[in-house]
Amino acid sequence: MTQQGVRWTADQVLALAPDAASRRAGSELGAAGPWSQAGSSDEGTVWGLCKGSGSTPYRTVVDTAEANGPAYSCTCPSRKFPCKHALGLLLLWAGGDGTVSRGRAPDWAEQWIEGRRQHARIEGTAAGRGGGATGDPEAARRRAERRAERITAGAEELEQRLADLLRGGLASAEQAGYGLWEETAARMVDAQAPGLAARVRELGSLPASGAGWPARLLEECALLHLLDRGWLRRERLPAGLAATVRSRVGLPGSPEGPPVLDRWLVLAQYDTSDGRLTTRRIWLYGSETGRTVLLLSYAAAGRAPEQSLPVGLAFEAEVSGYPGDGQPRVALGERYTPPEPVAVRPPGLTTVRAAARYGEALRADPWLESYPVTLDRVIPTPAGDAWQLADADGGTALPVTPSAAARPGLWRLVALSGGGPVTVFGECGHLGFTPLTAWPETTGEAVPLC
């Protein structure tokens, strides 16, 4: 039986922060000063009252044993999730100095926890009885056909747009400006092909991306043309590749196949935003299967997705994969244990083998921008104005992507290394390697870099 109230480390708590400002504000509240009546239970509940600007303190409670990651409640008006008070409370709890004592939750915290668990029981009962509406299969089929027709019309229009661009020369893209591409992207949205729309917007930004933009524009045009042709000829493709094309175009899919039970280590968690939607990516490693899989969750721009798992914790759960050759995305199913700290790390590769893994993955998904790998015994090393991760036991290296080199996480990795080898998990792609989590050789504790 796994202990429910295992304390986390400060790094694992801060990895939950939705942004850097929340991380700083939460750190300031991770001391005993503003807190009163703070406590925790063996079932994984942490609660406390935090003094704010008003006369009434904020009531903050966290359920660290929630099935889909920590759950939070706070009476503050913040729209961030978790708020700075929840982060501060968890940091206070992680400190283990006795400020957060073991005990029975107050009525207001107990009512929130019981309400959540009752809601989960009701949902579980409804799911067990098949309580969801099945809908009309024939109507669903007709809707799918109409959407496919709209996407086909959009793909054909986009093919004509690409042909016009190449006939007129790439210089015309710089003269036309971003407006024409945004109009084309809007047409793809109207065609219900958000994947095509996102790639078109990327095309529109390339002429202003600095030296060498014509080569990058030509590369992206080729990939977009390949995706267009894949959609228009999807009936001729192998089933796995056809599923990948549907996913890249933007058609929603559902997990399929038998669930896989494993003990999953949380490798990394980070958010990206396109101005409309916040996407959270959580990478997991299965200790028995050796698989690295991806959880995706979404929220409106300006808000953090609810699903959250601290880096370095592990839990037993079932996952189900989404269709498509080589697709790492899964849906989280039933969980059998709460997350708890573990002193393990995934096995690592050399930089040469990591690059080869990415190349192998491109055969199944030509539009794949990066592939998850763990590098073993690498040293962050400056290379002119850039950085690279060099094999400690060989003469090869992978460049660090420019976006990662500009973030504070790189300097954290350099400090963690101190000139010595470290194990690093991240994403390897055509632009280089993006470090996400590191483990020093001396300890097994994961250090988030993003």
Side-chain angles (χ1 to χ4, degrees), residues 61-66 69-73 81 112 116:
V61 57
V62 182
D63 183 2
T64 65
E66 164 64 27
Y72 318 90
S73 175
F81 193 87
W112 179 76
R116 287 190 60 83

Side-chain angles (χ1 to χ4, degrees), residues 96 102 125 162 220 224 281 286 311 339 345 364 395 431:
R102 292 289 179 92
T125 301
L162 292 174
E220 289 301 321
L224 188 51
R281 290 170 170 82
V311 173
R345 65 187 73 179
L431 295 178

Side-chain angles (χ1 to χ4, degrees), residues 227-245:
L227 184 55
D228 270 345
R229 303 310 296 174
W231 171 262
L232 295 173
R233 301 182 182 183
R234 61 193 180 281
E235 292 84 1
R236 308 180 196 178
L237 299 178
L241 183 56
T244 298
V245 168

Side-chain angles (χ1 to χ4, degrees), residues 252-289:
S254 300
E256 61 183 26
V260 177
L261 174 64
D262 207 336
R263 184 166 180 80
W264 300 99
L265 172 66
V266 185
L267 293 177
Q269 172 180 296
Y270 67 96
D271 296 348
T272 58
S273 178
D274 62 2
R276 299 173 177 82
L277 192 71
T278 298
T279 301
R280 172 161 293 170
R281 290 170 170 82
I282 302 177
W283 288 106
L284 306 175
Y285 172 76
S287 57
E288 297 295 327
T289 61

Side-chain angles (χ1 to χ4, degrees), residues 145-159 191 193 196 228 231-232 234-235 249:
E145 287 181 351
R146 288 195 296 271
R147 181 170 186 179
E149 291 171 357
R150 285 192 287 268
I151 294 175
T152 296
E156 291 173 343
E157 179 182 344
L158 186 54
E159 281 292 276
L196 294 179
D228 270 345
W231 171 262
L232 295 173
R234 61 193 180 281
E235 292 84 1
V249 164

Side-chain angles (χ1 to χ4, degrees), residues 371-417:
Y371 187 78
V373 293
T374 301
L375 301 178
D376 184 38
R377 290 182 54 77
V378 292
I379 301 173
T381 308
D385 294 332
W387 283 82
Q388 61 185 7
L389 297 177
D391 280 313
D393 305 316
T396 59
L398 280 175
V400 174
T401 56
S403 60
R407 293 199 294 261
L410 175 64
W411 300 109
R412 192 173 193 184
L413 176 60
V414 172
L416 185 70
S417 163

